[in-house]
Amino acid sequence: MAQRKSFPKKKKKNFGFFHLSFRVILLICACALAFAYLSALINPQTFLFPTLLGLYFIPLALLNLILLIIAVFRKSSSFWIPFLALIPSLFILEFMYQPSHEPIPWEKGEIKILTYNTGLFRSGKNHQDSDDNMEAVMNFIENEAPDIVCLQEYSIRDTLSIRRHFHNYPYIIHHLFKHSDGRWTGNVTACKFPILTSGTVVFKGSTNLSLWCDIQYGDRQYRVFNNHLESNAISLTSLIKKIGGRRSDIKPELEKIHGKIKTSVARRSDQTAEILTNINSCRKPAIICGDFNDMPLSYTFRQLYKGRKDSFSEGGKGFGATYSILWPLLRIDYILIPENMEVLGHETPRKEYSDHYPVISRIKPNYEKDI
């Protein structure tokens, strides 16, 4: 009796349901990151969706990086999906982290600028009395001795005390709003160079503003903008507590946050347009400082950055984050300078007098670029 020939069973190809699902996940995450990139290019009032994804740029980039590592480890032919999606991130990360840039020693003719959201002198980590916190901030500024000081959320009971705080600065301008508790809050700019003219861009329906002044520096004039743009009005501390608490609290909190963000990004878009209108109507080069309340991957930052240099990416080192909560993820305070100026150094001292960190930059006109 003839024996049947036994044939080895064919191995199933590794292109089953799991492989297809993995590729779908890769495509979805890559598309989400691609839309996040578009948030810097598209006005949120035209199309809001990219802006919302742009807020999650860092977790989306990390997720795509993890998926890339998994794909390479599994020797998946789909590794190219997260790989291509991550390439633009390299150009964005330079605005958030710099591995080098040693500061250049002091040079004759340099200008030292400090911008600082002081958090009304009551949002520091040490929870000390606001008056004591105010004195600590002023002592810090006096020790740093910048040539130009731009403060946001400056708060005081008596406006006559402003001169006492800036006794080393012959030129001071401010725009403050009076509140029901009798305190005045707003922006203050103090300068060691002559201020020729000044003005305010007051945003409709908001206590945020842009305070500008034209300064005389040698034979040159610059227009300095001290900005405080619309806040998202989100308590990250409250959100973190709720995430750590009951799950039922998370969804309504996230919906509430997205509602606030939708309103604030629309306002920042309008505020940015008003600032740019002022800049474009003036022939003087603009130095733009302050709290933008937006990340480098945002429509606000890209519009104001266009045609200028970012002091951190030109002269910073390490993480450029300026918001103490969730450090080092959030960079929302900036100093942007004209292209014909050079950055000699950039610092973000981790002082705990506010929920923001001060930003300090040393810059110098490059006369060769004028030729």
Side-chain angles (χ1 to χ4, degrees):
M1 187 175 177
Q3 291 183 346
R4 287 184 181 179
K5 290 183 179 180
S6 60
F7 296 95
K9 291 182 179 180
K10 290 184 179 180
K11 292 182 178 180
K12 291 182 179 180
K13 291 184 179 180
N14 191 25
F15 289 98
F17 177 77
F18 178 78
H19 181 78
L20 181 61
S21 300
F22 184 62
R23 176 170 286 192
V24 170
I25 292 171
L26 293 179
L27 285 170
I28 292 173
C29 293
C31 288
L33 187 56
F35 270 106
Y37 296 142
L38 292 177
S39 65
L41 305 174
I42 299 176
N43 189 326
Q45 299 212 53
T46 303
F47 188 28
L48 181 64
F49 183 64
T51 299
L52 294 177
L53 286 178
L55 296 171
Y56 300 99
F57 161 68
I58 293 176
L60 283 173
L62 289 174
L63 179 59
N64 275 269
L65 179 60
I66 292 170
L67 291 173
L68 174 61
I69 294 170
I70 293 173
V72 170
F73 181 76
R74 294 183 64 247
K75 297 182 180 179
S76 171
S77 59
S78 302
F79 80 93
W80 59 270
I81 297 174
F83 177 77
L84 291 179
L86 284 167
I87 290 176
S89 297
L90 300 176
F91 301 97
I92 297 166
L93 288 175
E94 70 169 310
F95 295 98
M96 305 173 72
Y97 177 81
Q98 283 290 332
S100 56
H101 292 314
E102 291 296 330
I104 299 171
W106 183 88
E107 288 190 5
K108 185 178 179 181
E110 72 172 45
I111 303 171
K112 188 175 183 180
I113 302 177
L114 179 147
T115 182
Y116 194 5
N117 183 322
T118 62
L120 304 175
F121 300 114
R122 59 172 184 250
S123 59
K125 290 185 177 179
N126 50 14
H127 303 294
Q128 64 185 26
D129 178 81
S130 60
D131 290 336
D132 292 337
N133 210 29
M134 179 192 299
E135 291 303 316
V137 170
M138 293 305 153
N139 288 336
F140 165 72
I141 293 173
E142 187 170 357
N143 291 334
E144 288 292 334
D147 300 298
I148 302 172
V149 179
C150 296
L151 300 185
Q152 306 88 42
E153 290 198 5
Y154 175 89
S155 179
I156 199 166
R157 291 191 186 90
D158 183 6
T159 56
L160 296 177
S161 300
I162 296 175
R163 173 56 61 185
R164 178 177 65 84
H165 285 163
F166 299 98
H167 58 274
N168 291 328
Y169 294 86
Y171 306 96
I172 305 169
I173 60 169
H174 58 80
H175 189 102
L176 307 176
F177 298 92
K178 190 171 184 178
H179 296 271
S180 57
D181 62 356
R183 296 190 73 90
W184 296 80
T185 64
N187 292 15
V188 175
T189 301
C191 188
K192 293 181 179 179
F193 310 120
I195 291 180
L196 307 177
T197 56
S198 64
T200 308
V201 182
V202 179
F203 307 130
K204 186 178 179 180
S206 174
T207 54
N208 296 81
L209 69 138
S210 178
L211 183 64
W212 62 266
C213 61
D214 293 335
I215 66 167
Q216 184 75 45
Y217 178 71
D219 60 350
R220 299 182 173 214
Q221 293 182 14
Y222 297 97
R223 178 159 290 190
V224 178
F225 287 83
N226 177 359
N227 300 302
H228 185 206
L229 303 188
E230 195 73 25
S231 168
N232 289 320
I234 297 171
S235 173
L236 291 174
T237 305
S238 174
L239 177 61
I240 291 168
K241 287 180 180 178
K242 289 190 177 182
I243 289 174
R246 293 181 301 174
R247 291 185 180 180
S248 59
D249 293 337
I250 298 174
K251 185 178 178 180
E253 186 69 17
L254 289 176
E255 291 175 349
K256 183 179 177 182
I257 285 172
H258 284 161
K260 289 182 177 180
I261 289 172
K262 185 177 180 179
T263 301
S264 62
V265 294
R267 286 186 175 182
R268 282 198 296 273
S269 174
D270 289 338
Q271 293 166 2
T272 300
E274 291 186 55
I275 294 168
L276 289 173
T277 298
N278 186 295
I279 291 172
N280 295 331
S281 67
C282 174
R283 294 183 178 180
K284 301 177 181 68
I287 298 172
I288 307 174
C289 308
D291 176 9
F292 295 2
N293 269 310
D294 246 330
M295 297 281 284
L297 185 65
S298 67
Y299 181 79
T300 296
F301 172 77
R302 289 290 159 172
Q303 289 298 303
L304 296 174
Y305 168 69
K306 195 180 298 181
R308 275 165 278 276
K309 292 179 178 179
D310 170 42
S311 63
F312 170 72
S313 58
E314 294 286 327
K317 185 177 181 180
F319 290 102
T322 64
Y323 195 60
S324 63
I325 301 173
L326 295 183
W327 191 93
L329 302 181
L330 301 178
R331 181 180 177 224
I332 58 177
D333 303 84
Y334 305 88
I335 297 175
L336 306 179
I337 65 172
E339 287 188 321
N340 64 349
M341 300 188 85
E342 299 295 330
V343 177
L344 305 180
H346 177 102
E347 296 178 76
T348 311
R350 295 182 65 182
K351 299 295 181 181
E352 298 185 346
Y353 308 132
S354 170
D355 50 357
H356 292 247
Y357 295 132
V359 178
I360 304 171
S361 182
R362 295 165 45 239
I363 63 177
K364 184 179 179 181
N366 187 338
Y367 296 98
E368 294 180 2
K369 289 192 176 182
D370 293 342
I371 300 173

